[in-house]
């Protein structure tokens, strides 16, 4: 879907990206992660030509992006940023309608799409359509920001630390919504972050960058279990590596179906990390498991967390 | 705009406007009053032109000069904030600032030998004078547009012109209108001295009164100029709030 071919970019004398190559397949959720100055934002902004590489080229669906008009390319990709950048003089509805309006959609289609997106993000269209951005909370503003990025139904969603400025609770809620949208729509998403937990939670593939080069790229479990270098381990953090691994799996993965246990149950959709926490808090080595409707489905034991990964 | 009667009555703009119109058209009726106040004067009322004609020509000169100054100021402010014109910004700012240090009377004095007497030198002086507030407000206003909004507009695929017209100028509008407002108010004041070079404005009674030792003329002219400035200021402030309604929501 997007392919960076040996791209380099310097700002003044400072190299931001060095001869980097990366290919993103349709439907992937790729998280670009690294410390500040690692070149992750520059790499992202090359995809929609907000930055043009000094050397190398970027392909979108096999086509050199420089052969496309930058405006047309950008209208085909959703773009959401940390500062959100809602237009303060436009209502929520008009903000969301930005790209459809640029594409010249008929008014009725735009209105229908706006309401559909507001509903998707749990914002009552009747209540929020006519509001101005400054009347919304930070979390609501970023929901509108992501809705605006999705408005013209782009195949690719580019996100530059979209949840960086939100409080932890709101951030988790929005991460959940984004994961749900990715599962439901199959869109290709490229997200930049410096938050390893966000990367582990969302990514189908993590690309770890350092000083303009890729240090390691792979599924979350691979980065945790087979770090390519000490630098990768340092970045991920060694002290709670085990807990991060547990965070990648859910209770369903280790469920003893049909068995039972006493005590307060845990949700089958909870992560093993949450299960670990529950074992410690409740001073037990066995927990009953229920589904979302509260029906018992089995049990899980402390030892099950140690079972070898298949 | 249909406001209930009580709102109209409580509105300072309505009062100032009513006072301006009443005085403009009713000044002749106040002749006995001025005669009583200044018994030493043979002619206690300025009667060379009607006050309505003076008001109109004052307004016409200010409107024309302000329109040109606003258009040029915004255009120049936009130009020096684009990539193509960025290098001209210090030069332009210096030029306009220097222009502002020359008193308006001096501009009139220089313009007259070159262009002659009449409304034209007055128009030129007022336009030059009106430029700086508009230009600096345009630059400040465009500079106050959040970087995130610019980034988002680019990322959405707006062209440079679309971004300027749909995002940057509307977001700069509150600051920009403040500059236009001080430019217009300044011009209303400066236009009074323009009558020294032969432009007929509300300054004419003031100048004639000052040179002819006639305080009644001075008061008549000054009252109307003051009221005109007040009405314009209140009106522009009202218009500014209307155009930037989105700022008031909370």
């Amino acid at each position: 879907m997007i392919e960076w071919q040996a791209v380099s970019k310097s700002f003044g004398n400072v190299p931001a990206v060095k001869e980097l190559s990366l290919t993103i397949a349709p439907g992937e959720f790729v998280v670009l992660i690294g410390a500040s100055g690692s070149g992750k934002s520059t790499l992202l902004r090359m995809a929609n030509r907000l930055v043009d590489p000094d050397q190398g080229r970027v392909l979108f669906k096999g086509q050199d992006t420089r052969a496309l008009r930058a405006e047309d390319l950008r209208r085909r990709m959703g773009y959401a940023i940390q500062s959100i950048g809602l237009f303060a003089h436009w209502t929520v509805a008009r903000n969301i309608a930005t790209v459809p309006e640029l594409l010249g959609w008929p008014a009725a289609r735009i209105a229908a799409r706006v309401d559909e997106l507001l509903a998707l993000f749990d914002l009552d269209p009747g209540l929020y359509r006519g509001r101005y951005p400054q009347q919304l909370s930070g979390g609501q503003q970023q929901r509108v920001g992501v809705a605006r990025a999705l408005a013209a139904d782009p195949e690719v969603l580019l996100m530059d630390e979209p949840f960086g400025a939100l409080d932890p609770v709101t951030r988790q809620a929005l991460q959940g919504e984004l994961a749900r949208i990715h599962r439901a729509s199959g869109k290709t998403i490229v997200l930049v972050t410096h938050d390893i937990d966000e990367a582990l939670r969302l990514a189908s593939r993590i690309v770890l960058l350092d000083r303009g080069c890729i240090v390691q790229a792979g599924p979350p479990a691979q980065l945790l279990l087979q770090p390519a270098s000490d630098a990768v381990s340092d970045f991920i953090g060694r002290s709670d590596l085990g807990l991060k691994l547990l965070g990648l799996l859910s209770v369903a993965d280790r469920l003893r179906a049909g068995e039972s246990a006493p005590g307060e149950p845990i949700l089958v959709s909870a992560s093993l990390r949450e299960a670990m926490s529950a074992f410690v808090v409740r001073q037990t080595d066995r927990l009953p498991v229920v589904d979302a409707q509260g029906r018992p489905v089995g049990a899980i034991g402390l030892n099950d967390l140690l079972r070898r990964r298949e | 705009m249909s406001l209930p009667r009580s709102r109209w009555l409580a509105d300072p703009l309505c009062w100032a406007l009513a006072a301006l119109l009443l005085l403009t058209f009713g000044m002749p009726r106040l002749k006995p009053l001025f005669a009583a106040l200044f018994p030493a004067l043979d002619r206690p009322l300025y009667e060379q032109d009607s006050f309505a004609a003076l008001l109109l020509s004052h307004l016409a000169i200010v409107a024309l000069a302000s329109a040109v100054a606003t258009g040029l100021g915004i255009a120049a402010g936009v130009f020096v904030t684009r990539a193509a014109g960025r290098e001209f910004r210090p030069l332009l700012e210096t030029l306009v600032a220097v222009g502002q240090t020359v008193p308006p009377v001096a501009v009139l004095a220089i313009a007259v030998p070159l262009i002659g007497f009449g409304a034209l030198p007055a128009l030129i002086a007022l336009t030059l004078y009106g430029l700086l507030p508009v230009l600096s407000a345009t630059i400040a206003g465009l500079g106050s547009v959040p970087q995130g909004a610019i980034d988002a507009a680019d990322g959405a695929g707006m062209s440079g012109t679309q971004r300027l017209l749909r995002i940057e100028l509307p977001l700069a509008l509150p600051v920009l209108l403040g500059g236009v407002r001080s430019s217009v108010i300044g011009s209303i004041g400066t236009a009074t001295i323009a009558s020294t070079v032969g432009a007929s404005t509300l300054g004419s009674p003031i100048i004639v009164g000052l040179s002819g030792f006639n305080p009644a003329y001075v008061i008549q002219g000054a009252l109307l100029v003051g009221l005109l400035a007040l009405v314009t200021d209140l009106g522009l402030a009202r218009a500014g709030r209307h155009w930037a309604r989105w700022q008031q929501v909370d």
Side-chain angles (χ1 to χ4, degrees):
Chain A
M1 185 63 90
I2 307 175
E3 188 175 356
W4 289 264
Q5 291 182 337
V7 289
S8 298
K9 176 72 186 179
S10 301
F11 295 104
N13 287 325
V14 187
V17 173
K18 293 180 228 164
E19 279 201 49
L20 188 154
S21 295
L22 175 67
T23 305
I24 291 179
E28 269 196 285
F29 195 141
V30 172
V31 172
L32 308 177
I33 191 167
S36 29
S38 59
K40 53 193 193 299
S41 282
T42 306
L43 193 63
L44 181 83
R45 291 161 67 88
M46 279 181 194
N48 65 353
R49 290 196 56 195
L50 286 171
V51 170
D52 276 325
D54 299 332
Q55 274 136 41
R57 52 184 202 153
V58 183
L59 306 185
F60 175 54
K61 298 179 99 177
Q63 209 174 2
D64 191 333
T65 51
R66 259 171 304 190
L68 300 164
R69 212 168 67 102
E71 286 89 12
D72 294 330
L73 177 71
R74 291 172 193 159
R75 290 171 198 176
R76 291 167 67 187
M77 297 183 173
Y79 184 58
I81 50 180
Q82 176 174 8
S83 56
I84 309 178
L86 291 183
F87 307 132
H89 61 304
W90 284 359
T91 59
V92 164
R94 182 129 194 244
N95 266 285
I96 295 177
T98 304
V99 179
E101 217 175 76
L102 289 170
L103 293 171
W105 286 18
R109 185 177 167 203
I110 293 179
R113 179 66 179 153
V114 166
D115 287 359
E116 183 189 343
L117 282 164
L118 283 172
L120 180 69
F121 283 95
D122 264 339
L123 296 167
D124 177 2
L127 212 55
Y128 288 98
R129 206 189 283 128
R131 295 217 178 159
Y132 284 89
Q134 54 271 43
Q135 296 171 294
L136 307 180
S137 70
Q140 290 170 332
Q141 288 189 13
Q142 192 52 287
R143 284 186 172 88
V144 174
V146 178
R148 177 173 65 181
L150 286 168
D153 207 7
E155 294 153 277
V156 176
L157 195 54
L158 307 174
M159 311 184 88
D160 197 345
E161 299 197 28
F163 310 134
L166 303 174
D167 65 84
V169 176
T170 313
R171 190 185 312 147
Q172 286 216 350
L174 271 157
Q175 286 168 350
E177 285 170 37
L178 187 61
R180 173 167 59 89
I181 287 166
H182 179 248
R183 277 196 304 272
S185 67
K187 285 190 194 308
T188 311
I189 301 181
V190 188
L191 183 143
V192 164
T193 186
H194 55 251
D195 177 354
I196 185 69
D197 292 311
E198 180 166 279
L200 292 171
R201 175 164 185 204
L202 293 174
S204 59
R205 185 154 59 116
I206 295 179
V207 177
L208 180 60
L209 296 164
D210 184 39
R211 277 166 286 177
C213 299
I214 295 179
V215 185
Q216 186 170 5
Q222 193 191 85
L223 261 82
L224 295 179
L225 292 169
Q226 297 143 27
S229 66
D230 277 357
V232 176
S233 306
D234 285 340
F235 188 85
I236 292 169
R238 295 165 200 270
S239 60
D240 60 348
L241 184 63
L243 292 178
K244 287 196 163 88
L245 274 169
L246 288 177
L248 295 180
L249 293 173
S250 72
V251 170
D253 296 318
R254 301 289 165 85
L255 181 71
R256 293 171 181 273
E259 295 186 22
S260 64
E264 198 156 321
I266 184 166
L267 272 173
V268 69
S269 60
S271 73
L272 290 185
R273 186 183 178 136
E274 290 168 272
M276 181 74 217
S277 169
F279 286 127
V280 173
V281 169
R282 293 178 203 160
Q283 297 286 305
T284 175
D285 58 0
R286 212 170 149 83
L287 286 167
V289 178
V290 295
D291 65 10
Q293 282 76 43
R295 290 184 298 245
V297 290
I300 186 167
L302 185 54
N303 273 335
D304 295 327
L305 303 189
L306 302 177
R307 246 192 287 167
R308 189 176 280 279
R309 307 172 64 84
E310 55 274 13
Chain B
M1 287 233 296
S2 61
L3 295 171
R5 179 166 294 168
S6 59
R7 289 275 300 277
W8 284 107
L9 286 177
D11 187 347
L13 177 58
C14 291
W15 283 103
L17 185 63
L20 176 66
L21 292 175
L22 276 176
L23 269 182
T24 303
F25 293 101
M27 198 73 89
R29 290 170 188 270
L30 295 180
K31 193 171 179 177
L33 175 68
F34 285 107
L37 280 171
F38 303 100
L41 295 174
D42 291 340
R43 281 172 294 179
L45 186 75
Y46 184 83
E47 283 166 321
Q48 275 138 294
D49 308 278
S50 79
F51 285 101
L54 291 177
L55 176 70
L56 270 184
S57 93
H58 195 114
L59 272 178
I61 288 177
V62 169
L64 195 58
S66 294
V68 176
T70 302
L72 281 179
I74 293 177
V78 166
F79 174 68
V80 299
T81 51
R82 302 302 101 181
R86 199 150 288 153
E87 350 173 3
F88 295 98
R89 181 169 169 174
L91 175 72
L92 191 72
E93 282 181 312
T94 313
L95 260 180
V96 182
V98 168
Q100 200 76 5
T101 58
V102 182
V105 179
V107 178
L108 288 170
I110 298 167
V112 167
L114 295 176
I115 318 168
F117 285 90
L120 194 60
L123 270 175
I124 291 172
L126 287 188
T127 305
L128 290 177
Y129 255 73
L131 263 176
L132 180 72
V134 177
L135 176 66
S136 45
T138 305
I139 293 175
L142 289 174
S144 73
V145 175
Q147 189 54 45
I150 292 177
D151 208 15
D154 285 337
M158 289 193 191
S159 68
T161 316
Q162 285 169 334
R163 188 185 85 191
L164 176 70
L165 295 180
R166 298 184 188 195
I167 307 301
E168 291 183 82
L169 281 177
L171 286 175
L173 198 66
V175 179
L176 206 163
L177 285 175
V180 171
R181 194 169 145 203
S182 55
S183 163
V184 173
I185 298 305
S187 284
I188 289 177
T190 311
T192 51
I193 20 173
S195 55
T196 51
V197 296
S200 117
T201 70
L202 288 172
S204 305
I206 300 178
I207 302 294
V208 172
L210 286 174
S211 52
F213 304 102
N214 187 326
Y217 287 9
V218 177
I219 289 176
Q220 287 151 24
L223 259 178
L224 289 179
V225 173
L227 278 171
L228 178 61
L230 188 65
V231 169
T232 311
D233 193 46
L234 290 171
L236 288 177
R238 174 82 43 94
R241 280 201 300 277
H242 179 73
W243 283 324
R245 291 187 293 284
W246 52 270
Q247 275 208 318
Q248 267 96 49
V249 296
D250 52 22

